[in-house]
Amino acid sequence: MKRYFYLWHRWLGIGLCLLMALWFVSGMVMLYVGYPKLTPAEHLTHLPELPARDCCIDLAQVFAASGRDDAPQSLRLSSAEGRPRYLLGYADGSGVTLDALDGRRIEAVDEAGALASARQFDPRATAHYLGLVDEDAWTHSRALDGDRPLHRVQLDDAEGRQLYISSHSGAVVRDATRTERAWNWIGAWLHWLYPLRGPWWSNLVIYSALAATAMALLGQVVGVLRWRFSRPYRSGSRSPYRGGFARWHHVGGLLFGGVVIAWIFSGLTSMRPWHLLDSQSTLTASAYQGGALRAESFPLPVREALARFRQAGLHPRELEWRMVGGEGVLQALEGNGNSRVLAMDDANEPLRRLPESTLRRAVQAMAAGTAFEVEELTAYDFYYFARAEQSMNGGLQRPLPVLRARIDDAAGTWLHIDPRSGALLEQLDERRRLARWLFNLLHSWDWQPLLQRPLLRDLLMLAFSLGGLVVSVSGVVLGWRRLRRAR
């Protein structure tokens, strides 16, 4: 049996050590430079304030002009091409864009419109049109599917930023700085094997990670079997290898092998292989909303709502309508992220947060008679936490305080609710909480004692990554030597 352990480890290593070396190098880059994204903070910062006068047509006109019979899942008043626009999103992934001043439906955005949106994003920079793309190295995200094809515009700003602009709405949906583009060729682009992206990409990543996990586990077994615990070899060493790459590989594997296995396996789980970690909860967001987005749920005219927000000292750059437990709620957002809400059942003064009774009614409707409990979190914990902007989840909003509702259903569902807006931020059942352990803890080390000490976390991750790189590179050399000998 020992011989088979050696052979499987050797031949898997010959095929996979180079890939693992690339994973370690790219992972170290990703600690500091993430895959390009347009964060909510960047989005709001680069929006103009909504007009103080003559804005905008009311929702009854919006729904009539949309040409759709089904209710949208999302509705925002934002800006594109320098003009306020209504953005409606539907369950099938499609969207409708309307000019908020005259109700005109925007069917497509041309080159001139894309340049106008780029000037809105940064009025001080000169914009150069680079063409229309369906997908390129920085736009692989499926979240952009409803906006494709994308206009690409280069800004002559200090960061050499490229903007990706929806050809359907004119909204800027992604930006990529010169630094992000340069480092990501050896960062996320390599880490996620994007050069091999195609119909089989997902399975390629899954089975490569599975094989690498098996290789690393076998390596640990072989390493322990070859280590002399009771008496050393004739050389006086506990390892049979006196020096060179073989010794580096053996000793390095024993020192860093556990972390290597954890990283590879947890990277595998990030792909949600074979739907093993998919949510099993049967509770739906539509039940939480308690009704469809309809004009009659928002009787307050838009002009009056904007006036009330301004009287409260807020200068809105974006409005968002949502349903919470059958009640219409309107949220206004400033460029710095400050917000206020108006509840349509009592649309008097804008509030900093919704009453907890409103949110409890929404949870009760979603729980459908199942017992639940609600607590308020004022600090991050293992299941609710914020990450640095460059991280994979750095673009997710994680405000505090937040309400956590624990529902006693079969899947053990937890909800995270933003009391400032009533938005359902996250739905975690037992499987998704398990994924927190298998990926966020083992792969990203998302553990509050480390997240609160970012320098220590970075130093530890760099040290173990360098250890893994030593194991991988020495494995590449040994594999190359074995192939040359066999040839």
Side-chain angles (χ1 to χ4, degrees):
M1 183 59 73
K2 284 185 186 179
R3 174 175 172 77
Y4 290 110
F5 285 164
Y6 297 149
L7 289 175
W8 275 105
H9 176 65
R10 175 186 299 162
W11 291 105
L12 282 173
I14 288 174
L16 292 167
C17 271
L18 180 58
L19 176 61
M20 286 179 57
L22 294 176
W23 274 340
F24 282 113
V25 171
S26 58
M28 287 189 282
V29 172
M30 289 173 66
L31 278 175
Y32 302 100
V33 184
Y35 192 67
K37 64 175 74 71
L38 184 70
T39 65
E42 289 175 317
H43 167 70
L44 288 172
T45 299
H46 291 280
L47 285 178
E49 287 185 22
L50 293 170
R53 299 178 59 186
D54 301 325
C55 181
C56 294
I57 64 170
D58 289 325
L59 295 195
Q61 296 171 266
V62 171
F63 287 110
S66 70
R68 301 278 295 251
D69 294 326
D70 53 330
Q73 284 196 327
S74 64
L75 173 59
R76 290 184 294 135
L77 175 59
S78 189
S79 298
E81 299 185 53
R83 290 175 64 86
R85 285 189 174 167
Y86 284 104
L87 306 175
L88 295 82
Y90 293 86
D92 60 2
S94 64
V96 171
T97 303
L98 300 172
D99 189 292
L101 299 181
D102 58 22
R104 175 175 49 91
R105 180 165 173 166
I106 309 298
E107 298 294 347
V109 175
D110 58 12
E111 176 183 339
L115 289 171
S117 288
R119 287 191 293 269
Q120 173 189 287
F121 188 89
D122 189 348
R124 297 169 297 178
T126 303
H128 304 279
Y129 187 72
L130 300 181
L132 199 65
V133 297
D134 188 69
E135 185 175 340
D136 66 6
W138 319 124
T139 56
H140 290 312
S141 172
R142 297 278 68 84
L144 301 176
D145 285 352
D147 297 298
R148 303 183 198 277
L150 303 166
H151 294 286
R152 195 157 59 98
V153 176
Q154 177 70 54
L155 296 182
D156 288 342
D157 61 353
E159 296 179 293
R161 195 182 308 267
Q162 281 186 11
L163 302 180
Y164 291 87
I165 298 167
S166 170
S167 61
H168 303 290
S169 68
V172 176
V173 293
R174 175 146 299 183
D175 70 331
T177 65
R178 183 189 301 111
T179 299
E180 288 173 333
R181 297 194 305 274
W183 280 104
N184 264 280
W185 290 114
I186 55 173
W189 201 69
L190 276 184
H191 200 75
W192 293 333
L193 305 184
Y194 277 159
L196 305 176
R197 191 172 177 86
W200 299 99
W201 169 77
S202 179
N203 283 330
L204 177 65
V205 176
I206 288 172
Y207 287 105
S208 296
L210 188 63
T213 303
M215 175 198 67
L217 280 169
L218 289 169
Q220 283 295 92
V221 173
V222 170
V224 171
L225 290 175
R226 296 288 282 165
W227 186 263
R228 286 281 181 88
F229 289 95
S230 57
R231 58 186 177 85
Y233 290 91
R234 289 182 180 180
S235 64
S237 171
R238 303 281 179 178
S239 172
Y241 310 106
R242 295 183 177 182
F245 286 102
R247 184 176 178 86
W248 279 101
H249 191 71
H250 186 204
V251 177
L254 290 174
L255 290 174
F256 301 103
V259 175
V260 169
I261 294 168
W263 269 337
I264 300 171
F265 176 73
S266 56
L268 166 66
T269 66
S270 71
M271 300 298 293
R272 298 188 184 183
W274 313 293
H275 306 288
L276 294 176
L277 296 174
D278 286 359
S279 174
Q280 298 295 298
S281 177
T282 58
L283 306 183
T284 63
S286 59
Y288 174 85
Q289 295 162 2
L293 274 171
R294 301 288 184 188
E296 51 267 24
S297 298
F298 302 93
L300 188 68
V302 177
R303 293 180 181 83
E304 187 175 340
L306 284 169
R308 292 192 187 187
F309 285 124
R310 288 192 172 89
Q311 288 170 5
L314 199 79
H315 301 280
R317 299 195 179 193
E318 194 165 79
L319 298 182
E320 184 166 1
W321 288 261
R322 61 172 53 89
M323 299 294 295
V324 179
E327 178 184 327
V329 172
L330 174 59
Q331 182 186 23
L333 293 151
E334 280 190 313
N336 58 8
N338 287 339
S339 69
R340 297 287 190 278
V341 287
L342 279 170
M344 292 296 120
D345 66 340
D346 186 24
N348 293 317
E349 296 298 324
L351 306 172
R352 292 187 180 273
R353 56 184 288 173
L354 290 169
E356 187 170 325
S357 58
T358 300
L359 301 175
R360 281 182 173 273
R361 282 199 304 271
V363 174
Q364 188 173 24
M366 187 174 183
T370 306
F372 67 90
E373 59 181 30
V374 177
E375 62 176 322
E376 180 171 291
L377 301 182
T378 57
Y380 295 121
D381 65 7
F382 183 73
Y383 295 104
Y384 183 82
F385 52 88
R387 287 296 316 276
E389 183 178 304
Q390 72 272 12
S391 68
M392 186 170 69
N393 295 321
L396 298 178
Q397 291 182 297
R398 289 291 183 263
L400 284 173
V402 70
L403 296 185
R404 173 179 289 162
R406 303 172 189 252
I407 302 176
D408 191 24
D409 64 330
T413 306
W414 291 7
L415 309 177
H416 289 136
I417 301 166
D418 182 4
R420 301 182 311 161
S421 63
L424 180 57
L425 299 175
E426 193 172 36
Q427 184 171 330
L428 296 174
D429 66 352
E430 290 177 348
R431 286 199 181 187
R432 298 308 303 147
R433 293 198 295 277
L434 175 61
R436 283 280 203 266
W437 289 89
L438 295 180
F439 177 71
N440 294 95
L441 179 62
L442 295 182
H443 201 79
S444 304
W445 295 9
D446 294 336
W447 183 46
Q448 283 306 308
L450 287 179
L451 291 176
Q452 293 166 0
R453 299 167 180 83
L455 179 58
L456 173 62
R457 177 178 174 275
D458 285 358
L459 289 174
L460 288 173
M461 294 195 83
L462 286 172
F464 280 103
S465 295
L466 288 171
L469 185 60
V470 167
V471 176
S472 302
V473 171
S474 59
V476 170
V477 175
L478 295 174
W480 173 248
R481 289 176 177 173
R482 169 62 63 174
L483 288 176
R484 288 183 63 186
R485 194 178 311 148
R487 187 177 58 185

